[in-house]
Amino acid sequence: MRIEIESLALGGYGLGRWEGKVVFVPYGVPGDVLEVEITEDHRDYAFGRILKIEEPSPHRLSPPCPVFGRCGGCQWLHMDYSLQLEAKEVLVKREFRKVLEKDALQPIVPSDPHMEYRTRAKLWVAKGQIGFYQEKSHQVVALGHCPVMTSNMNKALLVLYHRLKDLRRVGEIDLFSRGDEETLLVSMKSRERLGAIHDLFHALKKETESRVGLRVLWKGKVSHLGPKTMEEELLGHRILVGHDTFFQNNRFLRDKLAAVVLEQAKPWLEGPALELYAGVGTFTVPLVKEGARVTAVEGHIPSARLLKEN
């Protein structure tokens, strides 16, 4: 069937219509005219896949990643960033339309730059490959470079590939970079002790040009080299984070996000504040520094320990 993509939907789908029925098409871009094959048909809607791009949208781009479309990590790298922002703003407003006033949401804040922003990634190791899962599967898509990860994370990925023979029993790898790439925490889950841990540790330090904390979890035991935490900065405040703790992933938007929270909270700073799911104190710390009396609630023990220290 031939359909035109009208808009973007949740989950990264392009949305078009055929005989009055909504059709969701992965990797469709508004303005595309596509030849589509139906893969899943329901009474009011259907899912399809692209057979041919008959007329590409002016917003369609060549994705900056060779495994885009197979890797499940990204859905919108094939369209210009301004359209992505517009679509995200529309989707958020649509989700909140029943509970918020029409103009309650502020305009979306872009990430500048919008590549190499991601400071954390969980990678999987299988059959001599390292990468992310393919969408809706546990099939690992081999990844040599990820354009949204920081430079030192990508350098670490190459080190891991060069030492795959030492990682035969490793199943997953977590990379967590400091925003300025000064420090990199690497955590692995292995089915046995990692014999080459010292060689790997020194190779990671040399090639990433970062301070490296390497942790290997195996059979209920832990091997650890280098720092166990790293110090981040948020609105000028010191925040300690660790292997198992959450911190805002986009290094270019953290300060902007915290600044918005502070601005919104200012009218109530003289009274008590409650932060639920406080993590390591991303919002608690700047609120306290502004004079607020905050009760921070966090049930994850490693995060709660660092929250107290922060």
Side-chain angles (χ1 to χ4, degrees), residues 21-284:
K21 180 182 290 190
V22 171
V23 181
F24 298 103
V25 184
Y27 310 112
V29 179
D32 277 345
V33 177
L34 306 172
E35 181 68 28
V36 172
E37 175 186 49
I38 296 297
T39 57
E40 189 178 324
D41 199 5
H42 300 269
R43 187 178 68 179
D44 300 320
Y45 64 95
F47 291 92
R49 69 179 183 93
I50 299 173
L51 295 177
K52 181 182 178 182
I53 301 174
E54 296 191 354
E55 298 176 27
S57 165
H59 300 289
R60 180 174 280 276
L61 303 175
S62 176
C65 178
V67 296
F68 177 76
R70 292 190 295 120
C71 172
C74 299
Q75 288 81 40
W76 286 358
L77 285 182
H78 62 310
M79 64 185 77
D80 61 56
Y81 187 55
S82 61
L83 181 65
Q84 295 181 39
L85 292 175
E86 180 184 320
K88 290 175 183 179
E89 186 167 325
V90 168
L91 290 170
V92 171
K93 286 180 177 178
R94 185 183 301 161
E95 292 299 303
F96 282 97
R97 67 185 182 278
K98 293 182 180 179
V99 293
L100 291 179
E101 296 178 7
K102 184 177 179 181
D103 298 321
L105 288 172
Q106 297 182 17
I108 194 167
V109 177
S111 175
D112 185 18
H114 65 278
M115 290 292 171
E116 294 191 0
Y117 67 86
R118 183 172 180 152
T119 57
R120 189 159 211 163
K122 178 173 287 190
L123 302 169
W124 304 94
V125 185
K127 298 179 181 178
Q129 306 290 354
I130 305 173
F132 295 118
Y133 280 148
Q134 185 174 326
E135 189 174 5
K136 297 180 181 179
S137 84
H138 286 162
Q139 181 74 35
V140 174
V141 176
L143 188 71
H145 177 272
C146 176
V148 301
M149 294 195 316
T150 60
S151 174
N152 64 341
M153 292 167 71
N154 276 305
K155 290 174 182 176
L157 178 60
L158 291 179
V159 172
L160 296 170
Y161 260 114
H162 289 152
R163 295 180 174 268
L164 261 176
K165 68 180 187 302
D166 299 322
L167 306 178
R168 288 188 298 269
R169 307 297 287 174
V170 171
E172 64 182 76
I173 302 171
D174 188 84
L175 302 177
F176 188 10
S177 174
R178 181 168 149 155
D180 61 6
E181 303 189 53
E182 184 180 286
T183 307
L184 179 68
L185 299 182
V186 181
S187 185
M188 301 180 178
K189 289 185 179 179
S190 178
R191 293 183 290 279
E192 62 184 33
R193 185 187 183 104
L194 196 65
I197 187 171
H198 287 87
D199 289 343
L200 178 60
F201 174 67
H202 290 295
L204 285 167
K205 284 201 302 181
K206 179 182 177 182
E207 297 302 325
T208 65
E209 301 177 89
S210 303
R211 292 177 69 241
V212 172
L214 175 59
R215 182 183 72 170
V216 182
L217 306 171
W218 54 284
K219 294 184 178 179
K221 301 176 183 179
V222 181
S223 300
H224 211 135
L225 295 173
K228 297 180 180 181
T229 61
M230 60 185 175
E231 188 176 300
E232 279 285 7
E233 188 174 292
L234 189 72
L235 296 179
H237 306 307
R238 166 182 173 270
I239 306 276
L240 277 177
V241 295
H243 285 284
D244 298 316
T245 60
F246 172 78
F247 198 59
Q248 295 296 329
N249 214 347
N250 189 318
R251 58 178 172 158
F252 304 121
L253 287 178
R254 292 169 180 166
D255 278 13
K256 293 178 182 179
L257 175 60
V260 168
V261 172
L262 280 179
E263 182 64 30
Q264 295 286 328
K266 274 184 179 178
W268 297 280
L269 284 182
E270 293 181 2
L274 179 67
E275 186 185 356
L276 304 179
Y277 304 95
V280 295
T282 305
F283 301 127
T284 299

